[in-house]
Amino acid sequence: MTMDEQERQSDNGCGDDCVECPLCMEPLDLDDISFFPCTCGYQVCKFCWHRIRTDENGLCPACRQKYPDDPVGFKPVGTEEMQRYKSRKLGPKPGQKKRDPKEKIDRIVESRKHLTTIRVVQKNLVFVIGLPPKLTDAEVLRRPEYFGKFGRIIKVMVNTLNANGTPASSASAYITYLRSEDSLRAIKTLNNLHVDGRILKASLGTTKYCVNFLRNLACTKAECMYLHDLGDGAASFTKEEMQQNKHQEYEKQLLDSLNPIPPAVALELSGRLAAK
């Protein structure tokens, strides 16, 4: 495959003077120009390829095949092609209009449209419902004898109201742990725990993408709970997949990978919650 063919395949509407990665929207480096990690021919930069393989599900964003250990296509760039690449990077050709920066922003926004319906499971976020009224103080829930027992807590948000704004008979809470393994241990211990005649239900929380991120704008909310970066592909689900409980299957896989929680731990915590 020649560099011209690669450029046509990789060009995302930015014109002849640049080739950009379709994921991070950054211009491809010289080595990236001839880098094709998947058999389907979908091109991404090496940084995004490495991130997908090490931090995410390891699947090609286009065809959903698993990336092989070695890239499918990588051809060293020749001297002549390197010169053409450098000359193109120096600026627009004579008579060529300078690219409007707004065009790049529009492309980024367009590439993120599908994310409006995506929900991402947060592996360090516990959502618990069924808390009795006496356990609605965020500082109490942080204590080592309660949710703090499982690890360091970053944030606690308690809700005591129904959707219509009236007081609820039981409270719910979002508890953000520093480590995902701590949140999973909390869920495995607390889910279906009986407290004051109630049954606690604990699961991983989900979130959506911040509207500012979708619009390629800076978010001004200091404690915004929504996502401002691309989430883990394996933990991302459409509304239809959520209705099919795909996110619960994903959570079960994570919980099954944990070591068993000693029954004594659940009994001890149950006693503390009931005695509060």
Side-chain angles (χ1 to χ4, degrees), residues 120-126 183 204-207 225 227 231 235 250:
V120 183
V121 175
Q122 301 296 285
K123 290 186 283 189
N124 66 331
L125 177 64
V126 175
S183 67
L204 289 176
T206 62
T207 190
M225 295 290 290
L227 293 178
Y250 171 76

Side-chain angles (χ1 to χ4, degrees), residues 21-217:
C21 171
L23 300 184
C24 65
M25 306 304 292
E26 292 295 327
L28 295 181
D29 291 333
L30 183 58
D31 287 344
D32 292 329
I33 291 292
S34 56
F35 180 71
F36 293 85
C38 185
T39 54
C40 73
Y42 187 75
Q43 186 178 34
V44 297
C45 68
K46 290 181 182 177
F47 176 83
C48 288
W49 171 70
H50 179 74
R51 174 174 57 80
I52 292 172
R53 292 185 70 242
T54 57
D55 300 333
E56 298 183 11
N57 57 11
L59 304 181
C60 171
C63 69
R64 309 301 291 174
Q65 294 184 83
K66 189 172 183 61
Y67 276 135
D69 292 334
D70 296 319
V72 172
F74 180 71
K75 172 187 169 185
V77 180
T79 304
E80 183 178 342
E81 291 176 326
M82 185 180 295
Q83 285 300 119
R84 285 195 288 134
Y85 177 85
K86 288 181 178 180
S87 64
R88 187 173 63 251
K89 294 285 284 184
L90 292 176
K93 300 174 183 178
Q96 186 180 49
K97 292 183 179 179
K98 188 175 181 180
R99 191 158 49 110
D100 187 351
K102 186 176 180 299
E103 292 180 11
K104 181 175 181 178
I105 296 175
D106 290 342
R107 288 199 310 278
I108 294 175
V109 172
E110 183 66 27
S111 70
R112 294 176 181 174
K113 274 187 176 181
H114 70 287
L115 298 177
T116 57
T117 61
I118 297 294
R119 298 296 178 267
V120 183
V121 175
Q122 301 296 285
K123 290 186 283 189
N124 66 331
L125 177 64
V126 175
F127 176 56
V128 58
I129 61 175
L131 291 170
K134 65 183 183 182
L135 290 177
T136 57
D137 188 325
E139 292 306 313
V140 171
L141 296 179
R142 279 179 176 269
R143 292 176 184 173
E145 60 265 35
Y146 300 114
F147 288 87
K149 177 182 183 66
F150 304 100
R152 182 180 172 186
I153 293 175
I154 299 175
K155 188 174 185 178
V156 177
M157 292 184 63
V158 179
N159 179 37
T160 59
L161 300 177
N162 292 314
N164 59 7
T166 59
S169 59
S170 62
S172 62
Y174 283 98
I175 302 168
T176 306
Y177 285 89
L178 178 64
R179 304 190 314 166
S180 59
E181 53 263 43
D182 295 336
S183 67
L184 292 172
R185 287 195 301 119
I187 291 171
K188 202 157 189 174
T189 304
L190 295 169
N191 192 41
N192 292 322
L193 197 66
H194 289 257
V195 179
D196 288 358
R198 304 166 189 268
I199 301 178
L200 295 185
K201 292 292 184 180
S203 62
L204 289 176
T206 62
T207 190
K208 60 183 180 179
Y209 286 94
C210 176
V211 66
N212 291 300
F213 171 75
L214 296 176
R215 296 173 181 173
N216 198 41
L217 300 173

